[in-house]
Amino acid sequence: VWVLVFPAGPEKDCRGMAGCARGGAETGAPRARAVILKLLDPSYRNRFPAQALPDVLRAAAKLNVENLSRILREQLSRPDVILRSTAASILADLSDDENLAALIDASARAKNDPVNDARLAILTAISKHKKPVAAEAVKSALADRDHLVRRHAVDLLKQMGGGDFSDSNGVVQTGHGKAYYQRVVARDDKKVTATIHTTKGQIRFELFPQDAP
């Protein structure tokens, strides 16, 4: 039986709340639908861990709650990357012009994210819309600083019939300069050691050449 008063423990526990959401979705009961909608209400949201919200969204999708598209579009403006990724993934199966516009806006906002999860999920959702404006939005990701995002955009454009932009994959940015790789090559097949001098004598370590500082 689903009630809106959760025990104090699970309410503060991410896994407990996520499990409650998944369990309610499995029942498919009208009461479970009401509970999920309550959890998504802004006035109730601070009463449980934010990390459980993606599971709540997935439960809402499985239960096909009312105003699902609107609820998901609202999540696209939230700061949490995983939450936006989850909302975009669900919106991928809910194709309409309003959702597409929201996804394109979210894609532009996600360009400065420190991680690429949301950008990848949003691009996938946009690609489900077989429209010129969707293709142009995916093309904009060809200039993304992240190699995985650029490669994903190339693959999606092929699937959309938007052309082959493989040349846009570019060079992977590893964070290491030319000097680093010259040092790695110079050490190939050579021993790299580190020595610690102590009052009792010396301790010598042999290091992996490719990993040694």
Side-chain angles (χ1 to χ4, degrees), residues 1-164:
V1 176
W2 276 69
V3 294
L4 289 178
V5 179
F6 290 92
E11 181 173 320
K12 299 299 182 183
D13 175 52
C14 172
R15 287 176 295 180
M17 181 58 71
C20 287
R22 291 193 297 268
E26 290 299 323
T27 68
R31 182 59 177 166
R33 187 176 290 106
V35 169
I36 293 299
L37 282 172
K38 183 67 175 179
L39 292 176
L40 290 169
D41 189 291
S43 64
Y44 197 85
R45 199 173 293 156
N46 292 333
R47 295 182 60 186
F48 65 92
Q51 297 92 326
L53 197 47
D55 282 288
V56 175
L57 288 178
R58 283 187 281 267
K62 189 164 187 175
L63 292 166
N64 194 26
V65 301
E66 58 187 80
N67 298 317
L68 177 61
S69 289
R70 177 184 59 76
I71 291 170
L72 294 170
R73 289 195 300 268
E74 290 174 352
Q75 310 312 311
L76 292 176
S77 61
R78 299 285 292 276
D80 187 272
V81 172
I82 301 305
L83 186 55
R84 281 182 280 134
S85 302
T86 303
S89 297
I90 300 171
L91 281 172
D93 297 322
L94 302 172
S95 299
D96 65 44
D97 291 343
E98 197 170 0
N99 290 342
L100 175 58
L103 287 164
I104 292 174
D105 288 343
S107 179
R109 291 193 300 270
K111 288 181 179 179
N112 294 322
D113 284 351
V115 293
N116 60 23
D117 301 67
R119 299 205 297 283
L120 293 171
I122 291 169
L123 284 175
T124 300
I126 290 174
S127 72
K128 301 295 184 180
H129 299 258
K130 309 302 182 183
K131 295 184 177 182
V133 66
E136 288 302 315
V138 175
K139 283 181 184 178
S140 69
L142 295 173
D144 196 278
R145 67 184 185 278
D146 189 300
H147 176 261
L148 289 177
V149 175
R150 296 196 302 272
R151 189 170 67 183
H152 190 51
V154 168
D155 292 340
L156 291 174
L157 286 167
K158 287 180 182 178
Q159 297 170 21
M160 297 172 74
D164 187 352

Side-chain angles (χ1 to χ4, degrees), residues 163-182:
D164 187 352
F165 293 86
S166 298
D167 291 342
S168 299
N169 278 327
V171 178
V172 178
Q173 301 298 321
T174 64
H176 297 299
K178 182 178 180 180
Y180 170 84
Y181 292 104
Q182 288 176 331

